[in-house]
């Protein structure tokens, strides 16, 4: 890659809603236990958006924090990409809502949908715009309110998810702090293992779709678990090979926060100690595309990620989609 085409993550922001739902609270809602949830997933609590608090609200707050961190104004943005599976509307895009709310008058804005891999997909796309000279400043936002498509009567899924947003501002690199590699992949053959059956053009909203609870996400947990481990291992290997590094050169791994056992398997495969893996799913649960941005901001605030740190992000999600992105901070 030529020096001029290198791209950096210049600012990071995150935001979660105020309300916290604990495992104890869930015990009163479905037949589950704090012990089951903690031992099978590692999750203890999650943040849940209020009624009338959509994904865009969380995304706007995360975006404002990322812009502040990068020291640039919204008017300077050329492009806004929002990764979400819980958009405010089917259309217009949530990115359009952010464009208006932020005052990013020059920016092209559109949504992408790559489920839990959305943040890595979004940064990978934004990177290409800058590397090719089509844009100079790009905002990538992953904003999710999975609570709105959660079936609160289904213990298989309702204990897993939370709401939140993460955002990153991308600019041209000025030194060796830059994205070292990114790899994204997918396999549409497994779409129905993790999906929401109704609300789109195949099963538009009707009395039947509501009665049959088709507007909630459905997941075949076991199959998704196995696929997630394999795909995340594969994605991390590919991104490290593309960057010409091994896991010994990585200072911190920030995996998608879905399940502690998936994260431990990835760490084992990469032969890294769990001390080098950032985990915060105990406090936020699985916020889909937002998990990595929320974790990255927290790792920066806690001084776990410093200038010069090599960070590897790795994700897996519905679609199936997967990806890994390595950058020097
Ligand atoms: O973010 C995108 C990707 N998503 C993921 O990566 C999630 C991947 N999947 C997982 O994390 C795990 O598969 C789960 C956490 C969803 C489930 O864990 P598991 O160890 O695979 O459990 P299981 O599905 O095999 O269920 C074991 C038992 C079942 O009971 P029986 O049939 O053995 O009697 C479930 O009904 O646990 C039961 N169960 C529960 N029990 C108490 C399922 N959910 C609960 C619950 N509380 N909340």
């Amino acid at each position: 890659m030529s020096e001029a085409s290198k791209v950096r993550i210049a600012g990071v922001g995150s935001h979660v809603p105020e309300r916290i739902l604990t495992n104890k609270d869930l015990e009163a809602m479905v037949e589950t236990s704090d012990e089951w949830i903690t031992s099978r997933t590692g999750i203890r609590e999650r943040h849940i958006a209020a009624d009338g608090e959509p994904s865009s609200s969380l995304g706007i707050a995360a975006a404002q924090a990322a812009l502040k961190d990068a020291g640039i104004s919204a008017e300077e943005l050329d492009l806004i990409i929002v990764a979400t599976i819980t958009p405010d509307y089917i259309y217009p895009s949530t990115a359009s809502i952010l464009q208006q709310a932020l005052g990013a008058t020059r920016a092209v804005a559109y949504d992408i949908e790559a489920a839990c891999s959305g943040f890595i997909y979004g940064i990978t796309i934004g990177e290409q715009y800058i590397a090719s000279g089509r844009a100079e400043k790009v905002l990538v936002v992953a904003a999710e309110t999975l609570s709105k498509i959660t079936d609160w009567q289904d213990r298989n899924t309702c204990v897993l998810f939370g709401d939140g947003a993460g955002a990153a501002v991308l600019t041209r690199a000025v030194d060796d702090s830059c994205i070292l590699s990114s790899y994204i992949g997918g396999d549409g053959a497994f779409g129905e293992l993790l999906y929401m059956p109704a609300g789109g053009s195949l099963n538009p909203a009707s009395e039947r779709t509501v009665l049959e609870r088709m507007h909630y996400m459905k997941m075949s947990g076991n199959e998704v678990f196995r696929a997630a481990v394999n795909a995340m291992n594969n994605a991390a290997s590919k991104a490290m090979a593309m960057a010409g590094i091994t896991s010994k050169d990585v200072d911190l791994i920030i995996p998608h926060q879905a399940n502690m056992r998936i994260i431990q398997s990835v760490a084992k495969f990469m032969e890294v100690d769990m001390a080098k893996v950032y985990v915060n799913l105990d406090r936020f649960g699985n916020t889909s595309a937002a998990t990595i941005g929320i974790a990255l901001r927290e790792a920066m605030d806690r001084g776990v990620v410093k200038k010069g740190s090599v960070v590897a992000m790795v994700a897996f999600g519905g679609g199936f989609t997967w990806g890994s992105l390595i950058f020097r901070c």
Side-chain angles (χ1 to χ4, degrees):
M1 210 193 294
S2 73
E3 286 299 313
S5 63
K6 285 187 181 167
V7 175
R8 71 175 176 137
I9 297 177
V12 178
S14 70
H15 183 75
V16 292
E18 242 170 68
R19 183 180 157 219
I20 292 175
L21 185 74
T22 65
N23 291 352
K24 266 266 165 290
D25 297 329
L26 282 160
E27 284 180 358
M29 296 161 65
V30 286
E31 200 181 325
T32 191
S33 65
D34 176 38
E35 199 283 320
W36 191 97
I37 304 170
T38 309
S39 62
R40 296 289 182 118
T41 71
I43 300 165
R44 293 181 186 281
E45 58 188 37
R46 65 290 287 144
H47 291 247
I48 302 292
D51 288 346
E53 186 176 29
S55 296
S56 63
S57 306
L58 308 182
I60 290 162
Q64 284 167 336
L67 287 166
K68 190 167 176 223
D69 189 41
I72 74 163
S73 69
E75 299 89 63
E76 294 175 70
L77 291 171
D78 301 303
L79 172 65
I80 299 172
I81 299 171
V82 173
T84 184
I85 54 167
T86 48
D88 288 22
Y89 308 105
I90 285 192
Y91 78 95
S93 69
T94 303
S96 303
I97 297 167
L98 262 71
Q99 189 234 29
Q100 194 274 333
L102 295 169
T105 42
R106 290 180 49 244
V108 172
Y110 62 84
D111 286 2
I112 61 161
E113 202 225 68
C116 305
S117 311
F119 195 59
I120 292 178
Y121 266 60
I123 296 176
T124 300
I125 296 166
E127 180 198 7
Q128 302 309 310
Y129 272 86
I130 296 174
S132 66
R134 293 290 296 268
E136 289 298 320
K137 296 185 171 76
V138 176
L139 171 68
V140 178
V141 182
E144 299 278 28
T145 46
L146 265 75
S147 65
K148 316 276 185 186
I149 59 164
T150 294
D151 184 346
W152 292 104
Q153 295 177 16
D154 176 14
R155 69 175 185 175
N156 291 296
T157 52
C158 77
V159 302
L160 304 173
F161 298 98
D163 300 334
V169 172
L170 310 180
T171 61
R172 207 164 286 285
V174 288
D175 53 25
D176 64 355
S177 296
C178 63
I179 294 173
L180 303 176
S181 69
S182 71
Y183 164 78
I184 53 175
D187 190 343
F190 303 100
E192 290 189 6
L193 293 181
L194 179 49
Y195 80 132
M196 191 173 101
S201 57
L202 180 62
N203 296 305
S206 68
E207 198 177 346
R208 179 182 72 88
T209 61
V210 172
L211 285 174
E212 293 181 9
R213 310 185 77 74
M214 290 167 69
H215 293 271
Y216 297 122
M217 72 184 120
K218 316 281 176 199
M219 179 167 73
S220 306
N222 267 307
E223 281 120 307
V224 173
F225 187 105
R226 278 195 300 276
V229 171
N230 289 334
M232 286 168 80
N233 290 347
N234 184 35
S237 298
K238 288 234 167 65
M240 286 190 295
M242 286 164 76
I245 62 170
T246 71
S247 56
K248 290 191 179 59
D249 304 310
V250 174
D251 296 303
L252 191 72
I253 297 168
I254 304 186
H256 171 48
Q257 312 278 315
N259 186 309
M260 189 62 180
R261 291 180 293 139
I262 296 176
I263 294 174
Q264 284 163 341
S265 300
V266 173
K268 194 170 165 206
F269 173 85
M270 290 178 74
E271 296 178 339
V272 298
D273 194 275
M274 278 301 287
K276 275 172 70 171
V277 182
Y278 200 80
V279 178
N280 65 3
L281 90 168
D282 52 322
R283 285 169 291 117
F284 299 101
N286 181 349
T287 56
S288 185
T291 66
I292 291 179
I294 294 171
L296 175 59
R297 183 64 261 169
E298 199 176 76
M300 288 169 150
D301 290 342
R302 293 181 172 191
V304 183
V305 172
K306 304 179 194 72
K307 173 100 182 132
S309 297
V310 173
V311 179
M313 314 195 272
V314 55
F316 174 85
F320 290 154
T321 57
W322 52 77
S324 179
L325 188 139
I326 299 174
F327 70 100
R328 190 177 291 107
C329 212

